[in-house]
Structures are given as C-alpha cells and as structure tokens.
Amino acid sequence: MKYNPADIEVKWQKIWEDKKLFKVDKDESKEKFYCLEMFPYPSGKIHMGHVRNYAIGDVISRYKFMKGLNVLHPMGWDAFGLPAENAAIENSTHPAVWTKQNISYMKQQLKKLGLSYDWDREIATCDPEYYRWEQKVFIEMWEKGLIYKKKSHLNWCDDCNTVLANEQVEEGACWRCGHEVQIKELDGWYLKITQYADELLDFTEKLTGWHTKVLTMQSNWIGKSYGASISFKIKDIDDSIEVFTTRPDTVFGATFMSVAPEHPIVSKLLENTEFQKEGQAFVDSILKEDKVNRMDDEKEKRGFFTGRYVVNPVTGEDMPVYIANFVLMDYGTGAVMAVPAHDQRDFEFAAKYGCELKIVIQPGEELTLDSMEEAYTGAGKLVNSGQFNGMDNEPAKKAIVDWLDEKKLGKSTINYRLRDWQISRQRYWGAPIPFISCAKCGSVPVPADQLPVELPDVDFNPNMRGNPLDKVPEFKNTVCPKCGGAANRETDTMDTFMESSWYFLRYTSPKCDTAPFDKSEADYWMNVDQYIGGIEHAILHLLYSRFYTKVLRDLGYVSIDEPFNRLLTQGMVCKETYKCPEHGWLFPEEAEGGKCSKCSSDVVIGRVEKMSKSKRNVVDPNKLIKEYGADTARLFILFASPPERELEWSDSGVEGSFRFLNRVWRLIQNNINLFSEELPAPVDDEISKEILFHTNVTVKKVTDDIERYQLNTAVAAMMEFVNNLYAIEQKMGEGHKALFKDAIFSLMKLIAPFTPHAAEELYEMAGFEGLISRSEWPDFDEKLTQKDEITIAVQVNGKLRGQIDIPRNLEKEAVFEAALAIENVIKHTEGMNMVKQIYVPNKLVNFVVK
RNA sequence: GCCGAAGUGGUGGAAUUGGUAGACACGACGGACUCAAAAUCCGUUGCUGGAUAACGGCGUGCGGGUUCGAUUCCCGCCUUCGGCACCA
C-alpha cells in the first residue's frame, strides 16, 4: 500500500477525537506533565511560526505521553486585541464576530496538524466567563494597594481622536489618516510591578530550567541600581527638584541640571518668565521625537536653558537648569544632576551649551580640564570635594550619602529601570476595567454581584473615531455603588497582557464557575513543566506572567511562586516583507513577480522579519499540508533548524522530508510480515551486532535529543537509521529477522511523536492492538551503543596526518606505537624532535615536533 | 542607540565538555531502470594545487590573542534578527 497521507491523517484524527485520547484528568497516582505552547492571537490564519511552535510542543507532549506521564496539553485563544478592532472599523464587522470566525478557522487548521490537545479545555479570553475573574482579581489587587491611577504621556491622533500604539505611528504620523501624532497626557491605571522587582530578580533555584539569556534580559530590564536621591532647592521658587544618581561621589562636580521635557516642574520653572513661550515650543518639539530615537546615545544632545537655577546642596553654588532631550521621565525622577567631567552625555551637553566643568575624581595621573576629550567615568580619588578630598570614590559614595542624609538633603536609594505596568487601553476589544468614577467618592469598584462588566454591543464602521465605549451612554452612565449618585463607568479596557498572565492557570480547571480556577486542580497541575514560545516574549509576557502569579499567590489563589519550570524560547520564523506604494503591506502571494497583484506597481522588498499578520509576511501551511500531509509539514519544520534558532522560511527541501517518510513507510511495509511470522532465534554474528548497535544508538540519540530540544538532530538520527536499515535489509538472512523486526518496531515508535498519523497506521498494519500514541517509548542498552573497534585521528602539530583503527580503551603506549607506524606520520616527523605526545582517549593522538 | 542572540559549502544545518569541520538533508552533476516520463535506486559534490591518483595548501562573518590543538575561550569590529513598555 502506497503512503497516502490525505486518507490516513483524517482517519487517525477522527479516531483520536472519538476516543478523547488527549483528554486528561487529575490523577494523583500518576506523575503529571504540563506542556504548554503560547496560545495564539486569532489573527485569521495560522502561519509557519505557529506550526513550528506547536510541532515542538506536540513532539514533547507525545513523547511524555509515551513515557507514561499524565500529560496536560491545552490550547486556547488570546482573543482580545487591537487587530480585531482595526478589522471591525475597516469592514464594519463586530470584533466578536471577526474573532469567532478566526478562531473557528484556525482551530480547524490546528486539528489538521494532528496536535495532541485536550480541546475540552479550550478557552478564549474574550469570553465573559474568562475575564470576569480578571475583573474580580483586579478589584482585589486594588483593595490590597497594588493598583493606582496616574497620568502618562501617550501617542495621540487628534483626527482619529484616539491613542495610537507605537506600531500605529509611522514616521511621526497616524497610520490611518496621516495626521501628525501628538503627545497627550492621559490618566491610566497602574499595577505595582515594581513592588515585586526584587522577587522577580531572584531567579536562583526556581528558574534553573530557563536559558540564561532570558534571565539576563529580564534582569537588565528590571535594571536594579544602587545610588542616592538628592534634593536641589530651586532659586526664587519655593520648591525643589529631586534627582536620582548612581554617582553621589561626584555631587561636588555637578554644575548644572537637566530635566525631562515631560517633567511636571517644567511649567512651574517657565511660568511668567521671558523663557516661557520658547521653552514650551522646545518641549513640544522634543515630545514629537520618536521615543526609540530619544534613547539614542549617539543622537545630538539638545537643551533649553529655563532661566532658572538650583543650588548645589554641597557646594552652595548655582546650577543652571536645562530642559534636555536625553533625559527620560520614565527613569529615576526625570531629572539629573549633570556632572560633565564624569558623565559622557553631560560632557557632550556641556561642550555644546558652554557649561562649566569641574573635575572631582582624579585617577592616578593628573586629569586636566584643558586636555579632556571625553568624560572620565572611572575610579579615582576625590578632589575639589571639601572634607571628602583624598577619599577613594567608592567609599566616598557612602560617606557623602550619609552626610547628605544627616543634613536631610538626600538619602541612599535603590532605583529600578522597570516601571509600573500601565494597563489602561483606550480600546473597545478588551476586558472592561471594573471601576466607576464618582465625583464625590472617587474611583469605586464595581460590586462583586455586578461582575462581569460585559462589553456593550457597538456598531462598527469606517467612520468611527475615538474610544467606542465612551460613546455608549447606557454603558458609561451609571450610579455610584457607594453614594447612589450619578457616576461614570470606566470606559478604558485592560491591556491584553493581563489575560495572558494567568491563562495557564485557567486551563487547569477551565469551566470553574466559582473562582478563576480550582485551587486543588492548580495545585496538582502547576507548574507548567515545559513552556514553549517565541523569544519575542522573553521580557514582557514572561515577566508579567511571573508577576501576576506572585500576586495570585499573595491573594491566596495559588501556592506557587513561579509559573514555568522549563522554558524553551523558539527562534522567530522570518520572511521578507513586501510593500506596495499604493496598497501598503502585501501578502507574499500578492507580490509574486515583483508586482502588486492589485495595481501592478513595483513591490518594495523590505527587510526579513518575524512573520506577523500586521506586516502580512506570513506563509500559511495549508498548501504544504495539502500537497504532502501534516506529518511531512511537521517533520520538515522540525528538521529545518534547531528550535531556538531563528529560521528564514523557505519550503525548499520539504521534498526530502516527504521522501524520508516514504522510505520509512516502504521499509516497514516491505517487512510487515515479520510482525506476524514465527521468527528463528537471532544468530550471533556481525550483522546482528550491527542491527543492535544501530538500534540502540538511535534510540539513545533520539531520546537524548528530545530531552535537550534538539529535534532537528533527532530527525537526522532517524534518517541515518533508516539508511542503515536499508543497507542491512540487502544482506540479512533468516537469523537476523527477529532483530530487524525489533529495529523497525523501534523506528515506528521513535517517529511517532513527529509523524503520529503515519506511525499509527503502520502500527495498525503490523497487527498491534490499540494506539502507538499510547504505547511505551523504547529503551536502549548503553553497552550496545559502544563499538569495540574505533577509529581515532592522528595529528602532527595539530594537523590531521592519518587515522588508525584500535580496540576501545587501548593503552596509551600501544596507541602511540601504532600511530607512529603510519607512513604519512613518519614522513612528517622524520628528522624532527618529538616535543610532546598527546593522547585523548578513544579520540585522537597529537605529536608535537620541532 | 541600549539589552539579548545569530553568522559554518550553492542552500538548511551537524560537531553535546577545547580534540578528525561539513553528520543529516536540499540543490546540482553523472549513471541504472523505463519506449518515454514520474517514482525509485547507485555514485560524485567546501575551495584550490596535483593527473579525476598519492599527497598538499586554504577554509566556520572580519582583525588580533591564548593553546599541542579554537566553529567552541578572550579582546576589538562588521552584518542580520528579537525586544525597547498601547502589536501580540
């Protein structure tokens, strides 16, 4: 029978579904394994990035099933988000309708891939039965003091009357209408993630299953630094400016001050002065700059003198106050004491604006103002620093802070780069923030019996402007639960990262209707043993999930500190982007031949970047599945590259995976009778040894490779095994058939997690009862994976000059003797002095000669 | 720009702890089978000198270094990708 994936894939998918094969329940008697892939945003269709992610997860899940573990492998939908809203406005369809359609299409696509999900646990975050718990927890967090409101600066389009995401800003203009983007100050809700900063930094012990690169990224993101906050009195105004500095040892060298343009003090500084108008214009010009650009160290420093001075608390000298583009309101206090001699940015700024430089740290040799070409940021002894002169700068940090503390001018402070999490979104398609704003009582939580606060129905159309919820009076107008007076319901919704911060807990009891999740279920299933998802989520999603888990712990919902034991960060599947000057981003199929399929304009080929619906550089797996079947698609993407490496998509080579699967199929088909025949006992000869060797080596290699995520080399090992088995098939006799049968039986099982449909079919044809998905993973014998006779390399001065076959573990002296007898080695050592003889057991010999 | 990665034949990649660079595939070329094609099977395939040999030289982004020995460790660069807080 020919290998026909179209028939067998449908057949086995149906059998698995009918038998509810992947449905799991808590079973205390069994060891559990929770395997989770990051759930997708239902953008429309799945693409190769999803296929890669879910294929990896499926191999691991199916492997663990076969290892006898009770495997939880759920799937669901990160269903709230901006694209649904954009599509709604564009096509006059409700986001819920669009999302539902996408979910149903994508679910069908996932099913076609034969993934081992327990679909009974499916969740969609836009379901009120999901987000109601988020609202409940939100109120509890507020009651615990973990939430507050604050103003922040956001991208704003006056024309669309809406906040813009950074990705909606194109060269300073609104992507939809082209109107110039402004910065607007808006009120928002904040979660106090900074309160957990130290615990989030504590990776030791609990996150040993995470790659250090992710931990490093998170650690840098949190950016803990030790320093001091120092208060500077403003001249002629009864106010002061507080700065954070990591270099209190240089405070005597502070000669001016720079403040962020967003700093609230700015208006006070400028008020009723001759600088007011020009200063405000300067602030406006900076706020228009690209945020990423403003962080650019190389970017030209720009400043504006406010006409005001602050007093240096240690020297008593006046310091002019500037507004500067490179000072960020988000970090520290939004104001910095500028020490131009010892900070490079301040140095450049001072050079441009003619500010005074003062050396206060001297390294060994004499530093002079005239010879300085850049700031000196290294260590040294204090000079020009009053009673601290002569001290080494490190101990001086503490001494100066202590002194300032005594005078009530400053104190030792720890600062984090991490900012509190702003969760307010001026959007429709998200979970409503369960609060009511009352003129008399302030922010009042929606009473528990009124939860969930559901989204009202809204008619979407292309002419829509602003936040939809704000325009629904029956939603917005309400009464204050506290005083009964007229009040406004909060019309912002929550950041969608809120939903993805706890969905893994909901999966443990997705239908629980009395709490976010059943604690006993969570206690059994958590933690997630293996989490798999794109490296793009290394910081935000993974940090928020860690934070949220700790909050839930502190609210008594869970007993765990961390949600994810082992983390596999998958490399991005990338593809070049295509853009039509007329129609914007194009799908690859719309850009064929370099011409836009809509208008025949020349297509601009953009850079290679991660596949995403917004850039349209996506490749749908449908064609591949139709042509070769899901098994080949899965096998191919796993074989193409190791999971953690990024992959530029190309389907060239998919033929090879299909060919391999056909070879497996034919090899087993040709020998299918071995499974029903009475076979003679194996003979003890070289061929038998060979079969045993290859079988055991392959089982070991594939097992090890799955454990260390190297799925591409696991596939290569199986290919090698098949090549070897074909060679053996040619020369084997009756006495080898029993071992050969064992070999192809192992092959069938090894390949089952990768190409489960083909494996099930072969298993059935071989006459086995039940399913290979539920059979046992093969074992191997370490002794049989080693050869007695091995080949080692012989080098002279590190260059390969020959090889010798020796018995394993031959004595060193005997190896040297054999190596020295090689003709080519004699040629390269003749007449030379032997300096050294190196032997790496069972690997190589190196003769060092002169 | 900052933080984190990656760079190896024509292509995807392998080399698990510093020990024979290029496993396994794709592609290409040559051949077998076939009336022919598809499928399948066999062989060659890093570059280069040499004779298609023996035997050499070069070669893992670039430039240095450590070492008997470096794709692997160190220093300095280049390019590409991910993240940079309202895309998810």
Side-chain angles (χ1 to χ4, degrees):
Chain A
M1 202 176 104
K2 201 172 157 262
Y3 171 55
N4 184 349
D7 292 346
I8 64 173
E9 289 180 2
V10 172
K11 169 182 163 185
W12 290 102
Q13 282 161 20
K14 185 163 187 314
I15 291 173
W16 296 331
E17 194 161 341
D18 290 348
K19 288 187 188 265
K20 293 226 172 242
L21 195 65
F22 305 111
K23 184 175 162 51
V24 277
D25 291 305
K26 184 169 110 175
D27 181 350
E28 301 281 3
S29 70
K30 273 167 127 181
E31 193 186 338
K32 66 92 187 179
F33 189 87
Y34 186 175
C35 183
L36 181 67
E37 297 112 55
M38 289 179 185
F39 65 165
Y41 177 76
S43 57
K45 295 172 175 181
I46 63 167
H47 58 67
M48 287 303 163
H50 296 114
V51 176
R52 189 183 200 191
N53 192 180
Y54 307 144
I56 296 166
D58 205 48
V59 168
I60 294 174
S61 292
R62 286 174 178 273
Y63 164 76
K64 294 290 182 183
F65 270 119
M66 290 176 79
K67 281 280 204 176
L69 301 179
N70 194 29
V71 177
L72 171 58
H73 190 208
M75 180 45 75
W77 312 95
D78 190 12
F80 274 138
L82 201 47
E85 203 157 328
N86 293 333
I89 293 168
E90 212 171 306
N91 311 318
S92 306
T93 30
H94 194 277
V97 174
W98 186 85
T99 302
K100 215 175 152 190
Q101 281 169 358
N102 289 346
I103 288 177
S104 110
Y105 185 79
M106 289 168 76
K107 184 172 175 181
Q108 166 265 119
Q109 282 189 303
L110 293 183
K111 287 197 167 180
K112 271 202 217 163
L113 280 167
L115 302 167
S116 59
Y117 296 127
D118 179 357
W119 284 108
D120 285 357
R121 292 177 185 260
E122 178 182 4
I123 56 176
T125 57
C126 61
D127 183 348
E129 286 311 302
Y130 183 83
Y131 67 72
R132 71 180 303 161
W133 303 114
E134 206 165 288
Q135 293 174 337
K136 180 169 186 275
V137 170
F138 190 83
I139 292 167
E140 287 172 23
M141 286 174 76
W142 179 78
E143 284 163 349
K144 222 174 181 275
L146 287 170
I147 293 180
Y148 62 96
K149 279 183 100 169
K150 195 179 85 173
K151 285 201 184 309
S152 64
H153 294 83
L154 299 164
N155 301 317
W156 179 265
C157 174
D158 235 1
D159 202 32
C160 299
N161 193 28
T162 188
V163 172
L164 298 175
N166 286 336
E167 73 156 16
Q168 293 177 321
V169 180
E170 291 173 351
E171 287 156 26
C174 171
W175 69 334
R176 189 168 280 134
C177 69
H179 196 272
E180 192 182 6
V181 172
Q182 307 184 318
I183 297 296
K184 195 171 172 177
E185 220 182 10
L186 288 170
D187 226 10
W189 293 87
Y190 283 80
L191 266 53
K192 286 190 186 169
I193 190 172
T194 51
Q195 194 166 308
Y196 285 76
D198 279 319
E199 204 194 333
L200 289 167
L201 272 175
D202 180 20
F203 309 128
T204 47
E205 287 181 43
K206 288 188 179 113
L207 294 182
T208 50
W210 287 39
H211 202 293
T212 50
K213 72 181 172 194
V214 177
L215 301 181
T216 307
M217 278 192 257
Q218 293 206 350
S219 171
N220 291 335
W221 183 261
I222 295 168
K224 183 176 185 174
S225 59
Y226 298 87
S229 48
I230 304 173
S231 189
F232 288 73
K233 172 94 189 59
I234 307 171
K235 270 186 98 172
D236 308 322
I237 301 181
D238 185 21
D239 208 339
S240 56
I241 301 176
E242 182 153 303
V243 303
F244 171 78
T245 178
T246 55
R247 293 295 304 272
D249 51 325
T250 64
V251 65
F252 284 86
T255 55
F256 63 98
M257 177 171 284
S258 313
V259 298
E262 299 95 332
H263 201 294
I265 200 78
V266 166
S267 56
K268 204 163 179 181
L269 292 172
L270 295 173
E271 209 171 23
N272 301 326
T273 70
E274 54 183 304
F275 299 94
Q276 188 162 13
K277 206 172 155 196
E278 214 182 319
Q280 197 52 51
F282 178 79
V283 167
D284 290 345
S285 78
I286 299 299
L287 291 182
K288 272 183 195 135
E289 278 183 30
D290 189 82
K291 277 189 191 166
V292 173
N293 245 322
R294 262 181 73 190
M295 292 187 281
D296 190 339
D297 274 355
E298 302 281 284
K299 198 178 163 65
E300 199 190 357
K301 311 288 177 277
R302 290 170 59 205
F304 180 85
F305 176 50
T306 58
R308 297 284 183 184
Y309 293 85
V310 291
V311 181
N312 185 317
V314 293
T315 63
E317 283 165 22
D318 286 356
M319 295 161 52
V321 180
Y322 289 82
I323 303 165
N325 65 337
F326 62 90
V327 182
L328 303 172
M329 194 58 220
D330 296 326
Y331 183 79
T333 62
V336 294
M337 62 171 210
V339 186
H342 304 291
D343 180 282
Q344 187 56 26
R345 285 177 311 184
D346 296 342
F347 183 87
E348 286 168 35
F349 190 91
K352 184 166 173 185
Y353 293 98
C355 306
E356 186 197 348
L357 264 73
K358 196 171 152 195
I359 293 170
V360 291
I361 306 283
Q362 272 294 355
E365 65 273 35
E366 211 64 15
L367 205 64
T368 64
L369 289 175
D370 298 337
S371 64
M372 276 180 98
E373 281 172 9
E374 56 179 18
Y376 176 72
T377 56
K381 287 201 190 315
L382 267 64
V383 294
N384 295 325
S385 300
Q387 70 268 41
F388 302 100
N389 280 342
M391 277 185 89
D392 283 326
N393 74 303
E394 276 306 322
K397 285 181 181 174
K398 189 178 182 302
I400 290 179
V401 174
D402 286 348
W403 184 76
L404 286 168
D405 196 11
E406 213 172 285
K407 306 240 167 197
K408 304 262 177 280
L409 293 167
K411 59 179 191 301
S412 141
T413 308
I414 291 170
N415 188 58
Y416 299 93
R417 207 188 73 96
L418 178 70
R419 311 199 297 256
D420 277 339
W421 179 10
Q422 207 273 50
I423 59 92
S424 298
R425 299 292 179 266
Q426 319 261 302
R427 314 282 179 200
Y428 172 80
W429 198 231
I433 295 172
F435 269 81
I436 290 164
S437 160
C438 170
K440 218 162 85 191
C441 313
S443 293
V444 183
V446 172
D449 61 358
Q450 289 172 31
L451 294 180
V453 178
E454 289 194 50
L455 287 168
D457 206 7
V458 169
D459 279 331
F460 282 83
N461 66 72
N463 301 318
M464 271 182 115
R465 294 289 180 272
N467 181 1
L469 287 181
D470 206 40
K471 304 210 170 67
V472 184
E474 51 286 21
F475 179 81
K476 190 175 175 180
N477 301 334
T478 185
V479 289
C480 172
K482 218 168 169 180
C483 71
N488 287 333
R489 193 181 289 285
E490 175 69 65
T491 56
D492 283 355
T493 52
M494 293 190 225
D495 180 2
T496 57
F497 274 125
M498 289 286 275
E499 285 85 60
S500 55
S501 291
W502 68 285
Y503 75 109
F504 43 89
L505 286 158
R506 183 72 182 168
Y507 279 141
T508 64
S509 49
K511 296 186 177 69
C512 180
D513 59 3
T514 52
F517 47 87
D518 184 320
K519 186 158 189 294
S520 69
E521 291 286 335
D523 283 346
Y524 173 76
W525 289 113
M526 291 300 286
N527 296 353
V528 172
D529 294 280
Q530 179 66 64
Y531 196 30
I532 308 154
I535 184 69
E536 53 186 312
H537 295 294
I539 296 173
L540 294 182
H541 163 60
L542 288 165
L543 197 63
Y544 290 146
S545 298
R546 293 180 59 217
F547 160 64
Y548 205 87
T549 300
K550 291 174 195 298
V551 169
L552 289 173
R553 175 200 62 197
D554 293 345
L555 292 172
Y557 285 101
V558 283
S559 2
I560 53 170
D561 298 315
E562 290 285 347
F564 313 123
N565 285 351
R566 293 226 308 169
L567 172 69
L568 169 57
T569 49
Q570 174 206 325
M572 297 289 89
V573 177
C574 298
K575 173 129 182 68
E576 59 191 7
T577 50
Y578 309 98
K579 208 169 188 179
C580 166
E582 192 76 15
H583 297 94
W585 301 111
L586 300 177
F587 289 108
E589 55 274 20
E590 293 173 331
E592 269 167 34
K595 300 277 182 198
C596 172
S597 63
K598 296 171 186 163
C599 66
S600 304
S601 302
D602 283 336
V603 168
V604 180
I605 298 181
R607 43 183 277 259
V608 173
E609 49 191 312
K610 69 166 173 171
M611 279 191 187
S612 78
K613 187 71 187 295
S614 61
K615 296 276 172 72
R616 303 200 166 179
N617 59 340
V618 287
V619 175
D620 183 310
N622 278 5
K623 207 178 127 199
L624 210 60
I625 295 173
K626 204 169 166 213
E627 208 161 330
Y628 301 102
D631 280 341
T632 296
R634 295 164 54 122
L635 191 69
F636 173 61
I637 201 154
L638 294 175
F639 179 58
S641 179
E644 304 220 53
R645 197 185 298 190
E646 79 197 17
L647 174 64
E648 191 180 339
W649 176 253
S650 154
D651 62 4
S652 83
V654 65
E655 295 271 356
S657 294
F658 185 63
R659 214 171 283 160
F660 166 65
L661 206 43
N662 274 283
R663 274 166 68 76
V664 171
W665 185 268
R666 282 197 307 275
L667 179 72
I668 295 174
Q669 285 272 293
N670 293 346
N671 295 284
I672 203 86
N673 292 337
L674 300 183
F675 289 96
S676 50
E677 281 170 14
E678 197 72 22
L679 300 173
V683 294
D684 184 14
D685 67 356
E686 282 307 310
I687 293 179
S688 290
K689 271 191 195 152
E690 220 183 305
I691 299 172
L692 285 170
F693 171 75
H694 289 305
T695 306
N696 283 276
V697 161
T698 308
V699 172
K700 177 179 157 75
K701 172 83 177 150
V702 174
T703 307
D704 287 353
D705 281 355
I706 292 175
E707 293 283 356
R708 68 183 184 113
Y709 310 136
Q710 292 296 116
L711 304 182
N712 57 328
T713 50
V715 175
M718 290 189 282
M719 288 176 166
E720 242 179 309
F721 189 36
V722 169
N723 292 344
N724 286 318
L725 290 177
Y726 267 104
I728 290 165
E729 192 190 24
Q730 295 303 305
K731 61 183 180 187
M732 70 172 178
E734 281 300 307
H736 303 118
K737 283 188 171 173
L739 291 176
F740 195 80
K741 183 195 81 175
D742 293 346
I744 57 176
F745 188 44
S746 295
L747 172 64
M748 222 187 264
K749 291 193 170 198
L750 292 177
I751 208 165
F754 297 82
T755 62
H757 313 86
E760 290 287 8
E761 186 72 16
L762 290 166
Y763 191 72
E764 185 185 64
M765 282 192 296
F768 291 102
E769 297 285 323
L771 297 162
I772 198 164
S773 302
R774 282 290 168 277
S775 71
E776 238 177 273
W777 187 253
D779 226 337
F780 63 91
D781 182 347
E782 187 73 49
K783 286 197 297 287
L784 294 170
T785 64
Q786 295 181 347
K787 278 188 167 167
D788 302 334
E789 181 95 340
I790 52 173
T791 304
I792 66 163
V794 181
Q795 300 180 337
V796 178
N797 288 342
K799 294 207 173 209
L800 186 68
R801 298 299 180 191
Q803 292 181 324
I804 42 170
D805 293 332
I806 56 160
R808 174 178 287 280
N809 300 329
L810 183 65
E811 272 172 54
K812 195 172 169 178
E813 296 311 320
V815 176
F816 286 141
E817 199 178 315
L820 282 169
I822 300 170
E823 206 179 312
N824 203 31
V825 172
I826 295 169
K827 207 172 109 187
H828 285 94
T829 51
E830 244 175 357
M832 314 275 260
N833 286 329
M834 186 66 72
V835 179
K836 214 173 184 180
Q837 298 186 339
I838 292 152
Y839 179 50
V840 183
N842 300 323
K843 282 270 181 185
L844 68 69
V845 171
N846 188 16
F847 297 118
V848 184
V849 295
K850 255 188 187 161

